[in-house]
């Protein structure tokens, strides 16, 4: 497995590759990430994973500072999985002129997570655009857990005529239903026991207001719980950890 630390190394490696499946991550890898890797390996012969904790998508410095990182463990996991290359740039490689230019979407990005995290999706779309321009993959693999993000990236790819196909992968969950997330590592033992009730409440057969009331009674702080197209999107806080999830919504 090649570890590519900078853009020059990536460009040199990329010249000799055809048919790339790309999995962009912020590291702290779990089974959800590895499901994306496995799907990429099924689609094409060459798989590239990026590990970059993107500072421009964090609306709070404390959240960036506390984001879990373990590059050594991540690289070992990816090598064991048979990944061909890993791109591990620093901020100077991705933002050589600082955060001077950005991608801004003026509709969906202002709703749901965007309404509560100003500038978040500017940072997400900007870094994904940069990574896609650098990697030039045939496929990019994205998880459905970040459903709003998935839809925005799809729309950006279409809007800018990028020649990459999106492969969406279903949310990977623990046996108790909790969606896997790097942020779960920050939950206390008692919070980790309670967290699965988030998913269970979303999937229970009751109306939206009943779901909100139940989550609050359990100890969650509800940020939003809303239907978008055919999905029920939700974000809650448990202690100082923010959790998001989404499930199919059959409609009224």
């Amino acid at each position: 497995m090649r570890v590519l630390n900078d853009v020059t190394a990536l460009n040199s490696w990329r010249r000799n590759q055809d048919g790339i499946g790309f999995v962009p991550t912020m590291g702290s890898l779990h089974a959800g990430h590895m499901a994306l890797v496995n799907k990429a390996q099924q689609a094409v012969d060459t798989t590239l994973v990026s590990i970059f904790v993107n500072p421009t998508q964090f609306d709070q410095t404390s959240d960036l500072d506390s984001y879990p990182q373990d590059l050594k463990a991540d690289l070992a996991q990816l090598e064991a999985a048979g990944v061909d290359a890993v791109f591990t740039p620093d901020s100077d490689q991705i933002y050589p002129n600082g955060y001077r230019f950005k991608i801004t979407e003026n509709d969906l990005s202002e709703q749901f997570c965007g309404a509560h995290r100003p500038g978040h999706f500017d940072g997400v779309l900007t870094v994904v655009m940069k990574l896609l321009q650098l990697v030039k993959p045939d496929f990019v693999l994205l998880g459905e857990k970040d459903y709003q993000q998935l839809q925005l990236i799809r729309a950006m790819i279409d809007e800018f005529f990028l020649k990459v196909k999106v492969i969406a992968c279903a949310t990977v969950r623990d046996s108790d239903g909790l969606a896997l997330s790097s942020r779960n590592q920050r939950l206390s033992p008692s919070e980790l026991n309670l967290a699965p009730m988030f998913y269970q409440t979303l999937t229970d057969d009751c109306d939206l207001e009943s779901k909100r009331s139940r989550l609050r009674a359990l100890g969650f702080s509800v940020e939003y719980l809303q239907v978008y197209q055919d999905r029920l999107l939700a974000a809650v806080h448990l202690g100082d950890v923010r959790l998001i999830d989404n499930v199919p919504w059959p409609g009224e």
Side-chain angles (χ1 to χ4, degrees), residues 54-66:
N54 176 39
T56 65
Q57 70 188 68
F58 289 85
D59 54 317
Q60 297 182 13
T61 302
S62 59
D63 195 18
L64 172 60
D65 292 341
S66 63

Side-chain angles (χ1 to χ4, degrees), residues 167-233:
I167 298 178
C169 300
T171 302
V172 178
R173 302 180 182 277
D174 280 332
S175 58
D176 55 18
L178 179 63
L180 297 187
S181 170
S182 301
R183 297 176 190 275
N184 293 354
Q185 298 177 36
R186 294 169 49 198
L187 294 169
S188 69
S190 61
E191 291 168 344
L192 200 55
N193 286 332
L194 178 58
M197 292 303 299
F198 179 29
Y199 172 71
Q200 293 173 30
T201 301
L202 294 184
T203 55
D204 282 347
D205 186 17
C206 59
D207 60 32
L208 293 184
E209 191 51 46
S210 297
K211 293 178 189 294
R212 291 189 189 95
S213 297
R214 183 180 300 174
L215 287 168
R216 289 170 182 144
L218 286 167
F220 295 90
S221 173
V222 179
E223 187 173 280
Y224 66 82
L225 182 69
Q226 295 174 254
V227 175
Y228 173 70
Q229 297 179 347
D230 60 350
R231 309 292 294 186
L232 174 59
L233 310 184

Side-chain angles (χ1 to χ4, degrees), residues 6-119:
D6 53 44
V7 171
T8 300
L10 173 64
N11 289 339
S12 177
W13 175 84
R14 179 66 184 84
R15 281 194 292 269
N16 300 314
Q17 308 300 326
D18 292 312
I20 292 177
F22 175 46
V23 182
T25 82
M26 293 208 299
S28 192
L29 304 180
H30 51 66
H33 296 110
M34 301 314 296
L36 298 176
V37 169
N38 292 337
K39 193 77 170 180
Q41 291 171 325
Q42 294 169 19
V44 290
D45 292 333
T46 304
T47 303
L48 172 71
V49 176
S50 66
I51 298 176
F52 176 62
V53 181
N54 176 39
T56 65
Q57 70 188 68
F58 289 85
D59 54 317
Q60 297 182 13
T61 302
S62 59
D63 195 18
L64 172 60
D65 292 341
S66 63
Y67 195 85
Q69 299 183 56
D70 190 343
L71 182 59
K72 184 177 179 180
D74 289 343
L75 293 177
Q77 191 172 177
L78 294 172
E79 185 162 28
V83 167
D84 296 281
V86 185
F87 182 41
T88 60
D90 59 21
S91 291
D92 289 340
Q93 290 290 316
I94 300 299
Y95 298 102
N97 299 301
Y99 194 29
R100 183 180 173 192
F101 296 96
K102 65 180 69 173
I103 300 290
T104 298
E105 191 271 353
N106 296 309
D107 184 12
L108 177 57
S109 67
E110 298 178 357
Q111 305 175 51
F112 311 118
C113 285
H116 298 271
R117 304 184 67 188

Side-chain angles (χ1 to χ4, degrees), residues 135-155:
V135 176
K136 297 178 177 62
D138 295 86
F139 301 95
V140 60
L141 289 290
L142 302 169
E144 290 185 344
K145 182 180 76 70
D146 298 285
Y147 191 77
Q148 184 179 8
Q149 174 177 289
L150 169 63
Q151 299 308 314
L152 285 165
I153 292 172
R154 274 177 165 161

Side-chain angles (χ1 to χ4, degrees), residues 225-250:
L225 182 69
Q226 295 174 254
V227 175
Y228 173 70
Q229 297 179 347
D230 60 350
R231 309 292 294 186
L232 174 59
L233 310 184
V236 298
H237 291 262
L238 189 54
D240 63 352
V241 179
R242 184 176 184 272
L243 304 174
I244 65 170
D245 207 341
N246 67 90
V247 297
W249 181 253

